[in-house]
Amino acid sequence: MHNGQNDKPLLHNDAWLSKTLNMEQVLLDGRTLSMEQLAEIPQDIRLKSPLLLRAECEDGLLHGRLVETQQLLEMALKGFAAQADEASMLAMLGMLALLYEQVGDVQESRPLIELLRQEWARTPEACSGFVPWAIARAEANESENLEKNHSVPEALFLASAERFRQEGKPVWAGFVLLDRLLFNNQSVAEPEWNLWMHWLNRNMAEQPYSEALYQILKDQTASDSLIKQLPARYAYLCRAVLMGAADPNPESLFDDDIEIQIYAAAARASQSITKGEAESAAVALETVERLHQLVATPATLRAAAHLGSSLLEMKSLSTGTAAVDPDADANQQPITPDPAGRDGKSNASLGAIQEADDDFPLAPPRWRVKLIDGISFTSLQNGSVAEPVWKRRKAGELLVYLLLQPGYKANREQVIDRVFGEGDPAKRSNQLYVTLHDLRQSLKDMGISVDPVYAKRGLIAVDEHMVDQVDAETFMTLSRVGDQLWVDDREAACRLYEEALPLYGQLGTELPGAEWLDRVRDQMMDRQTIMLKRLAIYYSDMQDDMMVEQCLGEWIALRPEQEEAYETIILHFLDKGRRSEAVGWYKRLERMCMEELGTEPVEEIKRLLWR
């Protein structure tokens, strides 16, 4: 402790101590404090109270002050750790994971979510409501889980509300139910919802936001007068989801909030469609598609599908024909919207819409980028193909990394950590800017005259207006949308899968292995495997044996180490009465196991031949 009157901590002042203790008791009683109330205590005193820090973090999450709140959460976590308060530490970890999910920071979120899942499975009664809330958002943002079943995250939202109810925090139960409503506002008719409304009506009286929160939840709609009473983040989302009136240019406070940015981009697309500006609408919808790789809800997916349908309809009306990619194969059928509320669009079918009318200004030169099986650029102006020559391979790695990010951009620290790894911060920062120079020079030498890569305001980015399409992004989009359709419309899903399959290959063939790059390659291989398995199921239902065998053969060629693939093809031939071919595949499996694994096939597969 420093000596001197000016350095004497204010906490020793009896008045501040008494006020701080009173506020801490309010929080312990389950009530909520606004930021205005918290600000009555000087900041240096608030920072010494983990309870007040937590309250400030809660307010920050509600209002969308995400960057500032992340720093405060880390401080609060340390404070509760010093007190050995494990329950509060777990709550802070839940809030931190929820924040990471909101900003789409998968790398930071993943280890936290795994820890929270373990704790929730082991001792749910010891978990704050923030724990299942964060897991719910993680389940939703892992697109395959959302596409399979909305009910998993929805059940977790309700479990979160129940934990807040047990903690005596009705306002937080109300906000997690509001998040549940915004997540999927077409699926809250269950009787349990009415029971929640009765409980909230009895327990939220005279709490901050209680009147507006209860009325919006009860009616499942909103008005301007009610929305004005909500904290900033939820005010924006309620206006976007419940009133269909998203602000296309939200305040900079929400720059890192992916869900808000999705609705903002959708609002820009809607404005462009209304004005008949197809090119700018397509660009905005491409932004929505990229952001959906990080954050997704049934409500955002429906909004994107509706706008995609509107854009395609507008193009059809203006040309008298179906809107298709002008450079696509003439025999290829256009992807049509799914009437159930999800459509089969890909970035290729939206991003490549070109306006032919003279009333529209000429777009800047655009390129189709190939990252799979060799990096190359194809000009949309004259069809010329150019391949970059790298002075340093890190330049190629940086380009691939940026082109795989939403909006083709990432914050500077993220780029340094992922692409340049660990080491001295100053040295890695230097490497980044040297590599940026090399990347710009390589693209300039290739014939790209405009400055395609920029660094400003903490962001490193490729100019998205110069990129028409990236093959890896198209592959992932076709696969992901196919997964969305699989449950309700397998025929439409399989059309998209068959478009995606030929695109698959080695991402960044000429680039050395890097942890992040290997991870993306593994994700693409997993998607290709799932598509082949589902196509085999589809063609089996259609009794098209030739296509079933082709898909299963490609699956084994792709993943020769997967015994499940051999088991599936052996079962297929046995079911068709072609035992000799089943035995032949078993022999191949036997050789693979011995040569690659030094073992024999599992007994269950061997028994198939003698069933």
Side-chain angles (χ1 to χ4, degrees):
M1 183 180 296
H2 297 290
N3 293 323
Q5 184 175 358
N6 291 335
D7 292 334
K8 184 178 180 180
L10 288 175
L11 191 58
H12 289 179
N13 183 290
D14 290 342
W16 289 127
L17 176 59
S18 175
K19 196 171 186 66
T20 300
L21 292 174
N22 287 338
M23 285 192 173
E24 289 181 337
Q25 188 59 52
V26 167
L27 298 172
L28 291 170
D29 290 340
R31 288 176 287 168
T32 302
L33 293 173
S34 68
M35 195 59 224
E36 289 74 15
Q37 292 171 302
L38 291 168
E40 294 174 8
I41 305 290
Q43 185 181 33
D44 59 338
I45 296 178
R46 295 201 309 273
L47 296 180
K48 294 173 183 176
S49 167
L51 277 173
L52 295 188
L53 269 176
R54 172 175 175 165
E56 193 165 346
C57 292
E58 291 175 348
D59 188 82
L61 283 176
L62 292 176
H63 285 275
R65 300 190 304 273
L66 300 182
V67 175
E68 170 192 337
T69 301
Q70 179 182 340
Q71 298 170 347
L72 294 175
L73 278 169
E74 292 167 353
M75 294 174 63
L77 188 58
K78 292 177 183 177
F80 285 121
Q83 297 176 0
D85 186 343
E86 294 184 6
S88 294
M89 288 173 61
L90 200 54
M92 292 299 98
L93 290 174
M95 292 171 69
L96 193 57
L98 185 61
L99 184 147
Y100 286 142
E101 290 295 327
Q102 289 176 356
V103 302
D105 194 338
V106 178
Q107 301 305 319
E108 295 291 349
S109 173
R110 185 177 292 122
L112 272 183
I113 291 295
E114 287 308 310
L115 171 65
L116 296 177
R117 281 185 174 128
Q118 293 171 18
E119 293 297 324
W120 179 244
R122 186 171 61 89
T123 55
E125 67 281 356
C127 294
S128 158
F130 287 108
V131 172
W133 193 352
I135 300 172
R137 278 296 180 170
E139 287 284 343
N141 295 341
E142 293 171 7
S143 59
E144 288 187 6
N145 292 345
L146 181 59
E147 290 151 7
K148 288 175 184 174
N149 194 348
H150 298 164
S151 66
V152 175
E154 288 171 356
L156 284 163
F157 281 123
L158 295 178
S160 171
E162 177 61 22
R163 286 300 303 138
F164 283 127
R165 184 188 69 78
Q166 293 170 2
E167 292 177 79
K169 297 181 177 179
V171 171
W172 279 106
F175 274 112
V176 79
L177 290 172
L178 179 59
D179 208 35
R180 160 75 174 79
L181 175 63
L182 297 171
F183 174 79
N184 188 6
N185 62 312
Q186 293 187 3
S187 178
V188 291
E190 61 266 17
E192 190 173 359
W193 190 262
N194 292 328
L195 295 177
W196 274 110
M197 295 306 101
H198 292 311
W199 183 82
L200 290 174
N201 192 34
R202 295 195 308 271
N203 291 275
M204 276 209 313
E206 299 180 3
Q207 293 272 12
Y209 316 117
S210 59
E211 180 184 351
L213 195 52
Y214 171 74
Q215 202 60 51
I216 289 171
L217 289 170
K218 178 176 174 292
D219 298 337
Q220 297 177 28
T221 187
S223 64
D224 280 328
S225 61
L226 290 174
I227 283 175
K228 288 176 182 177
Q229 300 175 48
L230 292 178
R233 181 174 192 270
Y234 284 96
Y236 182 97
L237 291 174
C238 283
R239 189 170 277 111
V241 180
L242 303 179
M243 297 181 65
D247 182 352
N249 298 297
E251 56 184 300
S252 59
L253 171 70
F254 300 126
D255 283 351
D256 295 315
D257 193 311
I258 304 299
E259 190 171 0
I260 285 180
Q261 292 305 316
I262 287 174
Y263 284 114
R268 293 195 294 273
S270 181
Q271 285 184 348
S272 297
I273 290 171
T274 301
K275 296 176 181 177
E277 298 172 350
E279 180 67 22
S280 58
V283 170
L285 275 173
E286 287 175 4
T287 300
V288 172
E289 285 296 316
R290 295 188 196 107
L291 293 174
H292 265 148
Q293 296 174 28
L294 298 175
V295 172
T297 74
T300 60
L301 291 170
R302 276 195 299 270
H306 173 73
L307 287 168
S309 300
S310 299
L311 177 58
L312 291 172
E313 183 180 356
M314 184 186 80
K315 291 297 297 179
S316 299
L317 291 173
S318 65
T319 63
T321 59
V324 297
D325 184 341
D327 295 326
D329 189 318
N331 295 320
Q332 182 180 355
Q333 295 299 312
I335 300 172
T336 56
D338 169 25
R342 298 181 295 266
D343 69 352
K345 66 183 180 297
S346 70
N347 284 349
S349 57
L350 287 178
I353 294 175
Q354 302 293 316
E355 186 58 64
D357 297 340
D358 293 336
D359 293 338
F360 289 85
L362 291 174
R366 289 167 69 83
W367 300 77
R368 288 191 173 174
V369 186
K370 183 173 178 288
L371 301 181
I372 298 173
D373 293 336
I375 300 172
S376 65
F377 287 66
T378 301
S379 169
L380 288 188
Q381 286 185 317
N382 55 29
S384 61
V385 178
E387 297 181 0
V389 177
W390 310 116
K391 182 179 179 182
R392 292 178 175 83
R393 287 191 177 182
K394 276 293 180 188
E397 187 181 332
L398 176 59
L399 175 68
V400 172
Y401 182 81
L402 292 173
L403 289 174
L404 293 175
Q405 305 310 305
Y408 307 139
K409 62 187 175 184
N411 68 60
R412 178 179 172 277
E413 288 71 22
Q414 179 182 332
V415 171
I416 290 174
D417 287 343
R418 304 295 188 271
V419 179
F420 296 94
E422 298 180 355
D424 176 70
K427 184 177 180 181
R428 291 188 300 158
S429 181
N430 230 15
Q431 288 176 321
L432 169 61
Y433 288 103
V434 170
T435 304
L436 272 172
H437 173 77
D438 289 345
L439 175 55
R440 291 190 185 105
Q441 190 60 48
S442 294
L443 296 178
K444 183 178 179 181
D445 292 344
M446 201 177 62
I448 297 179
S449 56
V450 297
D451 188 3
V453 186
Y454 62 85
K456 63 181 181 182
R457 294 197 297 273
L459 289 176
I460 311 296
V462 173
D463 182 0
E464 63 180 331
H465 296 101
M466 84 160 202
V467 179
D468 175 73
Q469 177 185 336
V470 179
D471 60 350
E473 183 181 31
T474 301
F475 169 84
M476 297 294 280
T477 300
L478 289 169
S479 171
R480 188 174 62 253
V481 175
D483 289 345
Q484 294 172 19
L485 295 172
W486 175 253
V487 174
D488 299 322
D489 190 345
R490 292 192 172 186
E491 182 181 356
C494 289
R495 285 202 301 269
L496 297 185
Y497 288 157
E498 289 186 333
E499 283 190 64
L501 286 177
L503 298 176
Y504 178 76
Q506 178 76 359
L507 181 66
T509 307
E510 58 269 64
L511 298 178
E515 183 179 346
W516 72 267
L517 187 57
D518 289 339
R519 189 162 52 247
V520 177
R521 289 166 176 163
D522 289 344
Q523 291 170 356
M524 293 179 66
M525 182 181 287
D526 289 342
R527 282 203 168 271
Q528 186 81 344
T529 303
I530 290 170
M531 290 191 292
L532 288 169
K533 289 166 67 174
R534 288 182 170 178
L535 281 168
I537 293 170
Y538 173 74
Y539 285 119
S540 178
D541 292 342
M542 300 293 291
Q543 299 184 346
D544 189 337
D545 292 347
M546 184 179 72
M547 290 302 299
V548 171
E549 291 156 26
Q550 179 179 324
C551 292
L552 294 178
E554 290 181 22
W555 177 10
I556 291 172
L558 179 67
R559 308 296 285 268
E561 78 290 351
Q562 285 193 349
E563 291 186 64
E564 179 192 356
Y566 294 91
E567 180 181 6
T568 305
I569 202 168
I570 289 168
L571 276 171
H572 167 76
F573 283 120
L574 289 174
D575 289 342
K576 298 300 175 182
R578 295 156 64 182
R579 179 177 171 76
S580 61
E581 290 171 272
V583 172
W585 279 103
Y586 179 80
K587 293 295 184 185
R588 286 182 61 172
L589 171 61
E590 212 171 31
R591 287 195 301 272
M592 185 279 295
C593 288
M594 188 57 63
E595 293 170 4
E596 301 295 330
L597 307 174
T599 63
E600 293 185 355
V602 295
E603 190 65 27
E604 288 79 2
I605 298 180
K606 187 174 183 179
R607 283 201 294 266
L608 291 175
L609 299 173
W610 306 104
R611 62 178 182 171

